[in-house]
């Protein structure tokens, strides 16, 4: 899916680019919804996702991001993951499921973190650092 997205973007833009695929993997649902999390958010909201995981008996989750850079001839993939648990919504920052995702070892949800702190911990920040290391 990511490669198809990159190929279509390259076809349209004809310049180096980065495409992203990110999502939230629930342990209680064997990794679902992953990148389909937006549909789940639209249906039940972030609090509903947290309640679902809790009702299934396992609030563990992994935020995962894949980035694919291409110049039309070469592809480089970056990946980042942050493990954590789902909690009742806290914080108004970020978007989507940020208020219910609490990274392991932290006291603030993604929705409560700001700027550099979130970049340091987040799956996206980790994916960007991984991609940049592979490109340099």
């Amino acid at each position: 899916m990511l490669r198809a997205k990159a190929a279509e973007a390259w076809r349209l833009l004809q310049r180096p680019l980065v495409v992203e695929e990110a999502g939230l993997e629930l342990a209680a649902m064997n990794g679902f919804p992953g990148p389909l999390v937006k549909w789940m958010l639209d249906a039940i909201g972030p609090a509903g996702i947290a309640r679902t995981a809790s009702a299934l008996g396992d609030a563990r989750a992994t935020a995962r991001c894949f980035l694919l850079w291409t110049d039309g001839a070469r592809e480089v993939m970056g990946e980042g993951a942050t493990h954590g648990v789902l909690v009742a919504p806290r914080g108004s920052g970020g978007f989507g499921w940020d208020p219910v995702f609490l990274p392991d070892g932290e006291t603030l949800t993604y929705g409560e973190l700001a700027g550099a702190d979130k970049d340091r911990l987040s799956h996206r920040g980790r994916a960007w650092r991984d991609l940049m290391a592979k490109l340099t």
Side-chain angles (χ1 to χ4, degrees), residues 39-60:
W39 287 297
M40 194 171 180
L41 279 170
D42 289 347
I44 63 175
I49 292 174
R51 283 192 307 273
T52 298
S54 180
L56 292 171
D58 191 347
R60 291 177 299 126

Side-chain angles (χ1 to χ4, degrees), residues 51-82:
R51 283 192 307 273
T52 298
S54 180
L56 292 171
D58 191 347
R60 291 177 299 126
T62 299
R64 191 173 311 275
C65 179
F66 295 94
L67 298 171
L68 181 67
W69 173 91
T70 186
D71 63 3
R74 186 175 87 142
E75 294 179 342
V76 179
M77 178 88 68
E79 179 182 357
T82 302

